[in-house]
Amino acid sequence: MWRRHVLSICVVAAVLACTPPAARAQMPAPAAPVPGWNGVTIRGERQDLYYLPARGTPLHHRVIFVPGVGGWKGWAITVGETMASWGYDVYGLDTKTYLDRFTKHGQLTEVDVARDVCTIANWTTGGSGGRVSLVGWSEGAGLGVLAAAGSDSKKALSGLITFGLADENVIAWHWSDDLESFVSKPHEPTFRASDFMSRVTPLPLAMIQSGHDQYVGVDESKRLFAAAGQPKRFDLVQADNHRFDGNHKEFFLKLHEGLQWVDQAH
């Protein structure tokens, strides 16, 4: 059974993950995460993170995983558990909850997303300032681009790995969209990843794309990749759909390689 543990980070907009080391040393250390659900307060709103401790030989490397608007369930959990089995400490953000809880206060901005990810990264490192890899799938990949494009994120993150990244992404979500999405695309504000790809550099970018993704065509994915600066790498996996069914073996191979490459390239 998943455990829920409520934590509070005493941060405000001016005290973020990218706080200078001297100032950060004077801040109280955030409470340590526990395996399972953790509640993290960001800009006055509780956000849910699921912590999967590293298994086997720990690499002492943290990963923030942002899945699609389906939230933390199904294949998203499988991806998180697989990264943990490689020795990474994985922190899964419930994307649906994140968007919904801030949507009621108005539309998120790219600055909000970048700062929020910095805050989460700071929490995962216990305020030590260690760098964190960011992994995004689907809409979570789009949010990952926004986060990595922020100037503050260059200090907090070691790189970005995306799979199933589309150009158009939502930046808001209501729980009512769950029903609407079965019959049509929800009417929510969107942003284009192509407007931010060039700003990810100098962070390393690894993109993985399914050859038969029903939502994102290979040409679209390659256009986004072309818009990004170096260092970058692109892997095309011949799989059946957005979840890489039919070729999970190669997908996980490329994801593992991407994480290792990001760690070396940064």
Side-chain angles (χ1 to χ4, degrees):
M1 181 176 179
W2 289 354
R3 298 170 57 192
R4 291 187 177 268
H5 183 69
V6 179
L7 305 174
S8 178
I9 302 179
C10 297
V11 293
V12 292
V15 186
L16 301 167
C18 1
T19 303
R24 187 167 54 231
Q26 300 175 12
M27 295 168 55
V34 297
W37 283 111
N38 294 261
V40 181
T41 301
I42 303 175
R43 294 187 287 117
E45 286 291 336
R46 175 195 163 108
Q47 294 295 337
D48 296 323
L49 288 170
Y50 197 86
Y51 174 43
L52 293 164
R55 303 202 304 271
T57 303
L59 299 175
H60 305 291
H61 190 123
R62 297 164 182 84
V63 171
I64 297 173
F65 176 39
V66 189
V69 289
W72 188 251
K73 64 182 182 181
W75 197 56
I77 297 175
T78 300
V79 173
E81 289 176 338
T82 301
M83 290 190 289
S85 75
W86 297 333
Y88 294 95
D89 288 296
V90 179
Y91 299 82
L93 176 66
D94 192 305
T95 312
K96 182 187 296 184
T97 301
Y98 172 73
L99 291 174
D100 177 74
R101 288 184 178 168
F102 281 126
T103 296
K104 64 186 179 185
H105 299 301
Q107 184 176 335
L108 280 165
T109 68
E110 62 270 20
V111 173
D112 292 331
V113 174
R115 288 180 174 175
D116 292 347
V117 170
C118 276
T119 300
I120 294 169
N122 185 53
W123 173 73
T124 68
T125 64
S128 67
R131 298 177 80 179
V132 180
S133 293
L134 181 60
V135 177
W137 171 40
S138 193
E139 297 288 349
L143 292 176
V145 170
L146 283 187
S151 58
D152 292 340
S153 302
K154 306 301 188 289
K155 303 173 186 177
L157 302 176
S158 58
L160 172 65
I161 300 98
T162 69
F163 48 101
L165 172 64
D167 191 5
E168 187 178 25
N169 299 271
V170 297
I171 198 168
W173 194 263
H174 296 84
W175 286 101
S176 59
D177 292 331
D178 291 356
L179 295 175
E180 185 179 352
S181 63
F182 282 110
V183 294
S184 64
K185 188 173 182 178
H187 298 289
E188 295 289 6
T190 62
F191 67 93
R192 291 199 171 274
S194 54
D195 293 335
F196 299 90
M197 296 298 291
S198 64
R199 291 161 50 184
V200 172
T201 187
L203 289 180
L205 168 68
M207 286 182 63
I208 307 171
Q209 176 61 32
S210 169
H212 300 282
D213 190 318
Q214 69 270 39
Y215 304 121
V216 186
V218 173
D219 288 344
E220 178 179 346
S221 184
K222 288 184 174 180
R223 284 195 299 272
L224 291 172
F225 181 72
Q230 296 288 352
K232 61 182 180 179
R233 61 175 281 166
F234 183 88
D235 287 298
L236 180 63
V237 176
Q238 293 304 325
D240 296 338
N241 54 29
H242 199 55
R243 290 196 309 258
F244 294 82
D245 288 342
N247 205 350
H248 285 171
K249 181 178 180 180
E250 186 177 357
F251 164 75
F252 283 116
L253 173 65
K254 296 305 180 184
L255 178 58
H256 199 183
E257 288 179 355
L259 283 165
Q260 294 171 322
W261 174 80
V262 159
D263 192 33
Q264 296 166 357
H266 88 264

